[in-house]
């Protein structure tokens, strides 16, 4: 993982944090707290499981989390002996335990350890961990008779457990109903007694497992405690325990949002069982250890590495706790924000009128567009609960003042920065020593706008006459205060624990593949759709009055006049003159081909890849694959000649398909240095999906979309309402959405405080002009240091980086709704199925990253058309699960691309008609 240093792996080059690391036990005041080791099997739910574990501990401390290939049995033995861990949780994960170290890592060796100190450690396996325990003791792990992914099932608990189990510390299902609901993500199941059992009986001796709970049980079997004793004639085993050792496992996911609250109860019960076990066994095991001279040991260097990891984990948690009550004052920023405001209360002006008046002919223009909130662009249904979501702010601008920069990062490691004089001020290959995200983080820290400045940046000219220098601030809800705007491509995932390997990596392809295209803007205009206000803002160096400051204030005055001018002008454009309804008899593919586009994978090829995805799912390698396709064309004709055409295309797109997270970016080339160093690009995006938002106080929000159905004309009719009900009750669509919700909970938990990751909206309907969509909302809160205390001072250390908003973005990227889960393994499967072709801007994220405490708001780039160096591209795809029908999935891809293709075709027909009229007039 390039960029920020990861702390979830143990390596000999683990960064020295400057603290004295010794190999003694922790201080006595910390020793009494029990400690969990969580072995992460490269899963996308491990970290939310870590939060569940933390919430079950008295001090809310996170477990020590390491990946399965970053620790050894000898390491574990050292941690147990030094009382640094008391129990082990084995996470879910892709693959099968029968593959050995390939999928299991240390798990296989741990479960087969002969050392009694290690073997006696209480273990709790979840999903893959459950299967690993079952496989270790002779059960077969095979393709499930009832595979489930993101589906909620009834789990039936065995009515009674034996007295020995009770004596060892309580029941695993204590306080849980005998029949409860739990979320399942598994393609494999454990079958008893197992074909290997007889062959290994004399080796295994009397060691064996006891089934504790089942799913897929018919009513008659429930009466008998689950039926079949775990055999093939009964249900699917959902929980088990070892008869001798304190080892437990559950096939379902206790950390899932739909297993709450019982999942947390089960985890707490295991921890209580472990505590009771050590209370009884610790003394006698230590006596045995003193007489054991043959125990495997580890080097002093390795002990130092392990202690550094433990100390770093402890210090991170302590830091989070101590910063909750911190009142450290911000250091004065070296930069200052200035703003002016204009009221739209008595005007019908839309943000499009403002953009066209101020920026329609300007170089490097951009527009982060809450199109559904802009005048008549929104769509309301007859069903009031399903109205189109409306964003509040739109942000726009162009090439600006002395702090303005154009930034481009490429996949070959090159990063180029140009100033507002078209001069290259930075050009280097960052390689493994930096990243675009790290660059953004450092720049935002440097240009930080203080909250005091934000609250006093507007001169209230109306009241200033009476009160002298009367000032006020921008709306508290406005996060943007100048900063970065632009696009991070899907391939930015290489900096986000999602490595990419291109077969032709040394070719010119990687040299031209754009990873990020950004502007750092020091001048911008913001439309507040809710309050009907427009704000012009500029960022300058704070200090004595300089020429740059006077120019910035002059820009504010001029821009304010231009905004007022836009109130008087209702600008005509192509979308105004287009027919609102166009009858198109061709299907999406036929229409696309008629204007020169071609699918990367045709219908048969794409459906075959869907089937391959489903095979990978049934083999246990993934739960869900977000497979995509792309329409491309090289012959772009007049688009290569002028930026005007792309603006007209975007105006038409937002009119036909308004969306709350829409965007337009002109990354076109000029001449000279710009043309030599930067790609020629445009982005026209009508996205309905927010990827991630972080406010100035560190509150995160994600709004994943999974589940789409076409709307029925006339909108709001009985059939349209029925389409909503069909989507709400679809098992497949609900499962798709739930998988991504749990994935986002996991991603946010990497950065957020324990107990703050919540789901205030689960499986809600949002309706747009052409589709209904199933949307959920996931929120969380960063530790308080991320809200600006240390970042404003410009001295954030590595620990601060872990909780920076940019760090939170990095943990969650790429958007889970465009990958599937588990993310690490699934992105590798996608890379292979999509012919190692880059998705580029599609599936990435467009948004802003603000100088106001690094707040940001970023979408998922879908429903878009992009242009780069002579090629236009329209991406579309869908989530593939075991329930997917290949033909229906192809239909969904066409549905998602159709409105974009229709818009391109209509704009081009309109422009062609205009040219014909112009030519005829000239001839006449």
């Amino acid at each position: 993982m390039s960029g920020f240093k990861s702390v979830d792996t143990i390596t000999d080059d683990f960064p020295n944090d400057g603290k004295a690391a010794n190999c003694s036990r922790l201080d006595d005041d910390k020793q009494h707290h029990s400690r969990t080791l969580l072995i992460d099997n490269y899963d996308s739910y491990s970290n939310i499981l870590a939060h569940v574990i933390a919430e079950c501990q008295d001090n809310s401390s996170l477990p020590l989390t390491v990946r399965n290939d970053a620790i050894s049995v000898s390491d574990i033995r050292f941690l147990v002996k030094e009382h640094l861990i008391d129990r082990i949780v084995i996470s879910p994960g892709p693959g099968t335990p029968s593959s050995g170290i390939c999928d299991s890592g240390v798990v296989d060796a741990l479960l087969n350890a002969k050392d009694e100190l290690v073997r006696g450690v209480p273990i709790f396996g979840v999903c893959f961990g459950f299967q690993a325990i079952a496989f270790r003791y002779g059960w077969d792990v095979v393709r499930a008779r009832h595979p489930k992914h993101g589906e909620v099932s009834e789990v039936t608990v065995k009515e009674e457990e034996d007295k020995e189990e009770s004596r060892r510390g309580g029941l695993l299902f204590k306080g849980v109903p005998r029949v409860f609901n739990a979320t399942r993500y598994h393609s494999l199941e454990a079958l008893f007694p197992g074909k290997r059992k007889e062959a290994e009986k004399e080796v295994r001796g009397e060691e064996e497992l006891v089934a504790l709970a089942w799913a897929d049980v018919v009513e008659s079997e429930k009466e008998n405690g689950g039926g079949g004793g775990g055999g093939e004639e009964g249900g699917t085993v959902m929980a088990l325990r070892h008869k001798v050792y304190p080892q437990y496992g559950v096939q379902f996911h206790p950390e899932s949002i739909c297993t709450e609250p019982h999942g947390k109860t089960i985890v707490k019960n295991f921890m209580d069982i472990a505590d009771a076990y050590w209370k009884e066994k610790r003394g006698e095991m230590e006596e045995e250890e003193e007489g054991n001279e043959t125990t495997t040991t580890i080097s002093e260097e390795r002990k130092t590495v392990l202690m550094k990891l433990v100390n770093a984990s402890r210090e991170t948690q302590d830091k989070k706790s101590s910063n909750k009550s911190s009142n450290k004052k911000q250091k004065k920023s070296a930069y200052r924000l200035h703003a002016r405001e204009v009221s739209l209360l008595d005007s019908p002006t839309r943000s499009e009128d403002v953009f066209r008046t101020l920026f329609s002919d300007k170089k490097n223009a951009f527009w982060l567009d809450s199109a559904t909130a802009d005048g008549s662009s929104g769509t309301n249904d007859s069903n009031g609960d399903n109205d189109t979501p409306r964003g509040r702010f739109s942000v726009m601008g162009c090439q600006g003042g002395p702090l303005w920069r154009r930034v481009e990062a490429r996949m070959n490691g090159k990063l180029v920065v140009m100033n507002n004089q078209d001069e290259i001020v930075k050009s280097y290959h960052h390689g493994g020593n930096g990243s675009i995200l790290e660059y953004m983080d450092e720049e935002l820290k440097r240009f930080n706008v203080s909250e005091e400045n934000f609250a006093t940046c507007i001169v209230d000219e109306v009241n200033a006459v009476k009160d002298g220098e009367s000032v006020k601030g921008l709306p508290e809800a406005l996060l943007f205060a100048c900063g970065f705007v632009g696009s991070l491509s899907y391939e930015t995932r290489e900096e986000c624990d999602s490595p990419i390997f291109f077969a032709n990596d040394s070719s010119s392809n990687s040299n031209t593949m754009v990873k990020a295209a950004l502007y750092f803007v020091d001048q911008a205009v913001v439309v507040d759709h809710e309050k009907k206000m427009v704000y012009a803002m500029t960022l300058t160096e704070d200090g004595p009055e300089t020429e740059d400051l006077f120019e910035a204030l002059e820009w504010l005055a001029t821009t304010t006049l231009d905004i007022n001018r836009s109130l008087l002008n209702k600008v005509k454009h192509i979308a105004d003159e287009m027919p609102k309804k166009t009858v198109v008899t061709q299907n999406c593919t036929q229409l696309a081909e008629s204007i020169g586009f071609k699918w990367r994978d045709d219908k048969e090829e794409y459906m075959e890849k869907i089937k391959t995805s489903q095979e990978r799912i049934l083999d246990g390698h993934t739960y869900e694959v977000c497979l995509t396709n792309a329409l491309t064309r090289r012959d772009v004709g007049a688009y290569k000649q002028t930026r005007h055409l792309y603006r007209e295309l975007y105006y038409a797109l937002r009119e036909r398909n308004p969306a709350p997270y829409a965007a337009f970016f002109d990354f076109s080339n000029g001449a000279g240095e710009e043309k030599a160093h930067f790609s020629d690009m445009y982005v026209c995006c009508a996205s309905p999906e927010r990827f991630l938002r972080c406010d100035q106080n560190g509150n995160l929000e994600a709004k994943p979309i999974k589940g789409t159905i076409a709307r029925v004309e006339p909108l709001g009719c009985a059939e349209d309402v029925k389409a909503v009900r069909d989507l709400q009750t679809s098992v497949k669509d609900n499962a798709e959405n739930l998988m991504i919700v749990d994935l986002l909970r996991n991603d946010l938990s990497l950065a957020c405080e324990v107990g703050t990751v919540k789901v205030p909206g689960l499986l809600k309907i949002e309706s747009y002009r052409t589709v209904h969509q199933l949307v959920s909302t996931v929120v969380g809160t960063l530790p308080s240091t991320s809200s600006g205390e240390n970042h404003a001072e410009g001295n954030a250390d590595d620990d601060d980086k872990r909780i920076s908003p940019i760090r939170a973005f990095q943990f969650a990227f790429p958007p889970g709704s465009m990958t599937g889960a588990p993310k690490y393994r699934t992105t590798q499967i996608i890379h292979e199925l999509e012919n190692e072709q880059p998705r580029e801007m599609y599936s990435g994220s467009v948004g802003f990253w603000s100088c106001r405490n690094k707040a940001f708001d970023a979408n998922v780039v879908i429903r878009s058309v992009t242009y780069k160096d002579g090629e236009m591209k329209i991406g579309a795809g869908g989530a593939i699960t075991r329930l997917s029908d290949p033909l229906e999935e192809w239909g969904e891809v066409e549905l998602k691309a159709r409105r974009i293709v229709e818009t391109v075709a209509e704009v081009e027909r309109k422009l062609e008609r205009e040219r014909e009229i112009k030519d005829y007039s000239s001839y006449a």
Side-chain angles (χ1 to χ4, degrees):
M1 179 176 179
S2 62
F4 300 130
K5 191 74 175 179
S6 174
V7 296
D8 59 345
T9 58
I10 303 179
T11 59
D12 289 334
D13 65 346
F14 191 85
N16 192 333
D17 55 11
K19 308 290 191 301
N22 59 65
C23 299
S24 63
R25 297 178 182 177
L26 295 179
D27 297 336
D28 290 340
D29 63 331
K30 293 182 179 179
Q31 265 186 237
H32 71 276
H33 292 308
S34 55
R35 185 72 169 164
T36 305
L37 170 65
L38 174 60
I39 299 176
D40 174 19
N41 290 300
Y42 285 84
D43 194 58
S44 287
Y45 302 142
S46 298
N47 291 290
I48 196 63
L49 178 59
H51 272 226
V52 172
I53 292 169
E55 289 182 66
C56 293
Q57 299 194 140
D58 293 337
N59 61 345
S60 297
S61 62
L62 288 163
L64 186 62
T65 304
V66 295
R67 283 188 164 162
N68 64 18
D69 56 359
I71 194 168
S72 68
V73 173
S74 297
D75 294 335
I76 293 172
R77 189 182 197 288
F78 167 77
L79 294 171
V80 174
K81 183 179 178 182
E82 295 297 320
H83 298 184
L84 299 175
I85 63 169
D86 301 299
R87 50 188 170 250
I88 299 172
V89 176
I90 304 173
S91 86
T96 172
S98 62
S99 67
I101 194 172
C102 179
D103 291 328
S104 301
V106 73
V107 172
D108 184 66
L110 171 66
L111 294 174
N112 283 283
K114 304 300 182 184
D115 186 299
E116 285 300 317
L117 182 63
V118 174
R119 202 166 188 184
V121 178
I123 293 175
F124 182 61
V126 177
C127 198
F128 182 92
F130 163 92
Q131 294 167 7
I133 293 171
F135 185 77
R136 159 65 178 86
Y137 293 105
W139 290 40
D140 287 327
V141 177
V142 298
R143 278 193 176 186
R145 295 162 295 168
H146 308 284
K148 304 286 183 182
H149 303 95
E151 295 171 69
V152 179
S153 300
E154 282 191 350
V155 173
T156 303
V157 180
K158 188 175 181 180
E159 193 162 13
E160 294 182 3
E161 297 180 33
D162 60 36
K163 294 180 180 179
E164 175 62 18
E165 173 71 9
S166 180
R167 189 184 71 81
R168 287 211 312 247
L171 308 176
L172 188 64
F173 292 98
K174 179 182 177 182
V176 176
R178 183 161 176 257
V179 179
F180 67 96
N181 288 332
T183 308
R184 296 162 62 183
Y185 296 98
H186 66 102
S187 302
L188 310 177
E189 69 170 310
L191 292 179
F192 172 85
K195 296 177 181 177
R196 299 182 298 125
K197 189 68 176 178
E198 290 302 318
E200 300 179 8
K201 187 172 182 180
E202 58 184 57
V203 178
R204 305 292 184 188
E206 293 302 316
E207 301 168 352
E208 63 183 309
L209 306 175
V210 177
L212 302 177
W214 296 260
D216 314 312
V217 180
V218 298
E219 290 301 319
S220 61
E221 291 172 334
K222 286 183 184 179
E223 300 299 322
N224 298 313
E232 293 188 29
E233 72 280 11
T236 305
V237 177
M238 287 287 110
L240 49 74
R241 68 169 177 85
H242 195 277
K243 291 183 71 174
V244 177
Y245 296 106
Q247 297 178 1
Y248 299 79
V250 293
Q251 178 65 81
F252 57 87
H253 281 236
E255 79 287 354
S256 172
I257 187 65
C258 287
T259 310
E260 291 184 352
H262 305 306
K264 188 183 297 183
T265 301
I266 292 165
V267 172
K268 181 65 168 64
N269 286 343
F270 164 72
M271 296 167 74
D272 291 343
I273 291 170
D275 289 345
Y277 172 84
W278 283 119
K279 186 175 182 180
E280 178 181 339
K281 296 287 188 178
R282 176 77 74 181
E284 63 184 68
M285 291 187 72
E286 288 183 346
E287 288 179 9
E288 293 176 5
E289 180 63 18
E290 290 177 3
N292 188 348
E293 299 178 356
T294 62
T295 301
T296 303
T297 60
I298 58 175
S299 68
E300 292 301 314
E301 291 79 9
R302 186 60 176 168
K303 290 178 182 178
T304 300
V305 170
L306 291 168
M307 288 303 300
K308 283 182 179 179
L309 180 72
V310 172
N311 288 339
S313 180
R314 294 278 193 188
E315 287 159 11
T316 299
Q317 186 63 35
D318 291 344
K319 184 170 205 161
K320 288 181 179 181
S321 300
S322 63
N323 281 325
K324 288 178 182 178
S325 59
S326 174
N327 293 311
K328 184 183 288 186
K329 188 177 180 180
Q330 284 189 337
K331 184 178 179 180
K332 183 177 176 62
S333 174
Y335 295 88
R336 185 162 188 83
L337 190 69
H338 311 268
R340 296 291 185 273
E341 63 181 10
V342 176
S343 173
L344 296 178
L345 284 175
D346 299 321
S347 170
T349 299
R350 301 187 302 168
S351 64
E352 180 173 342
D353 302 319
V354 177
F355 181 81
R356 285 187 61 87
T357 301
L358 273 65
F359 306 114
S360 63
D361 59 347
K362 297 295 177 62
K363 182 181 178 184
N364 301 131
F366 71 90
W367 184 8
L368 296 170
D369 180 16
S370 295
T372 49
D374 196 16
S376 60
S377 292
T379 298
N380 290 327
D381 301 354
S382 60
N383 183 345
D385 292 334
N386 295 333
D387 286 353
T388 304
R390 298 163 60 89
R392 176 171 172 180
F393 298 102
S394 293
V395 183
M396 59 187 72
C398 64
Q399 186 164 329
L403 301 179
W404 181 92
R405 297 290 186 269
R406 180 176 179 179
V407 182
E408 183 172 295
R410 297 187 180 178
M411 287 298 293
N412 65 355
K414 185 178 181 180
L415 190 147
V416 184
V417 182
M418 183 183 77
N419 67 14
N420 69 332
Q421 301 300 313
D422 294 347
E423 299 167 336
I424 303 303
V425 295
K426 183 178 292 187
S427 179
Y428 65 94
H429 283 74
H430 59 70
N433 299 319
S435 72
I436 185 61
L437 294 176
E438 195 167 56
Y439 170 80
M440 292 168 65
D441 197 57
E442 291 300 315
E443 290 296 284
L444 292 176
K445 180 167 60 180
R446 182 160 71 97
F447 290 107
N448 188 66
V449 170
S450 71
E451 288 299 288
E452 179 185 3
N453 176 200
F454 189 84
T456 58
C457 63
I458 299 177
V459 175
D460 186 351
E461 296 174 350
V462 174
N463 295 315
V465 176
K466 296 181 293 184
D467 304 333
E469 187 70 9
S470 179
V471 296
K472 60 182 178 179
L474 290 163
E476 180 68 13
L478 174 59
L479 302 183
F480 188 73
C482 295
F484 287 104
V485 297
S487 175
L488 297 176
S489 78
Y490 175 76
E491 280 68 42
T492 304
R493 71 186 181 88
E494 73 160 355
E495 299 183 13
C496 307
D497 199 24
S498 183
I500 305 172
F501 303 99
F502 289 103
N504 299 315
D505 201 40
S506 61
S507 70
S508 60
N509 187 42
S510 66
N511 294 330
T512 61
M513 195 185 304
V514 176
K515 181 165 66 174
L518 301 162
Y519 296 130
F520 182 88
V521 296
D522 59 350
Q523 297 172 352
V525 172
V526 178
V527 178
D528 184 341
H529 298 279
E530 181 179 303
K531 300 298 183 183
K532 301 295 183 182
M533 299 292 291
V534 182
Y535 302 96
M537 62 175 66
T538 183
L539 185 69
T540 68
E541 288 192 57
D542 193 17
E545 294 180 349
T546 63
E547 184 178 345
D548 285 347
L549 176 60
F550 286 125
E551 288 180 357
L553 297 178
E554 182 180 354
W555 177 87
L556 276 179
T558 302
T559 302
T560 302
L561 289 174
D562 288 340
I563 294 170
N564 279 304
R565 182 163 55 89
S566 74
L567 308 186
L568 305 176
N569 297 330
K570 174 65 176 176
V571 186
K572 276 189 171 292
H573 53 87
I574 285 179
D576 287 335
E577 302 171 5
M578 278 188 174
K580 298 301 180 183
K581 303 286 185 182
T582 302
V583 178
V584 180
T585 57
Q586 298 167 301
N587 64 35
C588 176
T589 299
Q590 291 169 336
L591 179 60
E593 290 176 348
S594 73
I595 56 174
F597 283 95
K598 183 180 180 180
W599 286 110
R600 182 191 64 221
D601 299 317
D602 63 25
K603 180 178 179 180
E604 288 70 26
E605 291 170 332
Y606 191 76
M607 290 173 64
E608 191 60 36
K609 289 183 177 182
I610 291 172
K611 295 174 184 176
T612 302
S613 300
Q614 291 176 315
E615 283 298 307
R616 300 292 178 87
I617 291 169
L618 292 175
D619 285 338
H621 295 293
T622 178
Y623 313 134
E624 175 180 39
V625 178
C626 294
L627 190 66
T628 71
N629 204 348
L631 285 163
T632 59
R633 76 174 185 185
R634 295 290 303 178
D635 180 17
V636 294
Y639 286 97
K640 296 175 70 173
Q641 307 302 320
T642 174
R643 66 173 67 98
H644 166 73
L645 299 182
Y646 284 98
R647 283 165 166 72
E648 294 297 343
L649 176 58
Y650 179 68
Y651 297 146
L653 181 62
R654 75 186 298 274
E655 181 69 21
R656 289 180 57 90
N657 199 41
Y661 310 109
F664 170 79
F665 276 87
D666 174 357
F667 291 113
S668 60
N669 275 339
E673 290 292 309
E674 185 176 26
K675 190 169 185 178
H677 289 87
F678 292 89
S679 298
D680 192 33
M681 298 188 300
Y682 292 89
V683 178
C684 300
C685 176
S687 175
E689 181 173 1
R690 168 178 280 156
F691 165 46
L692 194 60
R693 175 184 186 269
C694 181
D695 72 13
Q696 76 279 7
N697 297 315
N699 297 308
L700 294 165
E701 179 188 76
K703 290 180 71 70
I705 291 176
K706 271 288 166 274
T708 302
I709 195 168
R711 300 206 62 175
V712 181
E713 300 278 0
L715 303 185
C717 68
E719 286 300 309
D720 195 36
V721 173
K722 179 180 181 297
V724 170
R725 288 198 300 269
D726 290 344
L727 183 58
Q728 287 175 319
T729 57
S730 167
V731 173
K732 172 185 174 293
D733 290 313
N734 277 262
E736 285 181 17
N737 198 286
L738 177 55
M739 278 188 267
I740 302 306
V741 167
D742 280 339
L743 172 58
L744 262 298
R745 291 172 65 235
N746 180 84
D747 290 347
L748 266 59
S749 72
L750 281 160
C752 291
E753 289 273 19
V754 171
T756 66
V757 179
K758 307 288 185 182
V759 183
L762 181 64
L763 306 174
K764 303 296 184 181
I765 295 291
E766 288 184 359
S767 299
Y768 297 84
R769 278 210 179 144
T770 58
V771 295
H772 299 294
Q773 305 218 264
L774 206 55
V775 184
S776 295
T777 303
V778 184
V779 299
T781 303
L782 297 176
S784 55
T785 50
S786 67
S787 62
E789 297 157 0
N790 292 336
H791 297 307
E793 297 181 16
N795 64 350
D797 58 17
D798 285 344
D799 283 347
D800 291 321
K801 285 183 178 179
R802 291 187 212 120
I803 51 177
S804 160
I806 298 289
R807 180 68 162 166
F809 182 94
Q810 183 189 32
F811 279 137
F813 195 85
S817 61
M818 301 306 294
T819 62
K823 189 183 285 187
Y824 192 95
R825 179 72 64 89
T826 304
T827 52
Q828 295 172 335
I829 293 171
I830 289 170
H831 192 55
E832 175 191 336
L833 290 175
E834 296 182 2
N835 308 327
E836 298 190 1
Q837 293 298 305
R839 292 182 177 180
E840 299 182 290
M841 298 306 167
Y842 174 69
S843 295
S845 193
V846 162
F848 69 74
W849 292 263
S850 173
C851 293
R852 189 186 182 193
N853 289 340
K854 302 184 186 177
F856 64 82
D857 199 352
N859 76 0
V860 179
V861 180
I862 53 177
R863 317 292 195 273
S864 61
V865 55
T866 60
Y867 166 88
K868 175 178 170 289
D869 297 332
E871 181 179 80
M872 290 183 74
K873 182 181 288 187
I874 299 170
I880 309 305
T881 71
R882 66 176 183 85
L883 299 174
S884 295
D885 177 89
L887 187 59
E888 290 180 0
E889 292 294 339
W890 174 257
E892 183 174 327
V893 167
E894 288 205 306
L895 171 65
K896 291 173 177 176
R898 183 180 183 90
R899 184 52 65 101
I900 311 299
V901 173
E902 288 177 352
T903 303
V904 174
E906 287 185 6
V907 169
E908 293 179 359
R909 282 197 296 268
K910 174 66 177 177
L911 292 172
E912 183 61 30
R913 286 196 298 271
E914 288 186 347
R915 280 193 293 268
E916 290 174 355
I917 292 171
K918 183 178 181 180
D919 292 343
Y920 178 79
S921 299
S922 299
Y923 177 77

